[in-house]
Amino acid sequence: MSDQIAKGEEFEKQGDKKLKGWSFFGSKHEDAADLYEKAANFYKLRKSWDQAGVVYVKLAECFVKLDRKHEAANAYADAGHCYKKTNSSGSSSFKLGLIRAFSDPISSSS
């Protein structure tokens, strides 16, 4: 089971690295989002809710940068579900992000 945590940590590190680097093809935020989503899923399999919550917040921030508000709101909501399972103090970051994501109207072209 700890193998899933190790895989989650590896995907999270790769996502962090993607955001710090250059991207010639595609979007570094899109690539990082894919990696963060994988990381969060591995953390959830192991029921490591705090780590999954942190990664979902990172995922949401990528979606905000990509101007994909609906996906950002969903990622913040997923973070909230994870934090709710542990009563973590990290819940304030997802609540703030959720408010930001929903305060801007979502365009009909999305």
Side-chain angles (χ1 to χ4, degrees), residues 30-106:
E30 184 76 39
D31 295 340
D34 290 338
L35 294 165
Y36 287 145
E37 192 160 18
K38 290 177 184 178
N41 286 328
F42 277 109
Y43 289 142
K44 282 174 42 178
L45 285 172
R46 186 62 177 110
K47 298 183 191 248
S48 182
W49 302 116
D50 281 332
Q51 287 177 293
V54 168
V55 174
Y56 273 123
V57 170
K58 290 180 180 184
L59 175 61
E61 290 168 354
C62 287
F63 285 140
V64 167
K65 293 282 187 186
L66 293 166
D67 199 32
R68 292 168 50 185
K69 293 177 177 77
H70 182 72
E71 288 93 341
N74 285 335
Y76 281 123
D78 288 337
H81 294 301
C82 292
Y83 288 134
K84 184 178 176 182
K85 293 179 187 241
T86 63
N87 293 321
S88 174
S89 63
S91 62
S92 61
S93 64
F94 91 87
K95 287 178 186 174
L96 188 61
L98 202 56
I99 291 168
R100 271 187 289 158
F102 280 116
S103 66
D104 293 333
I106 298 174

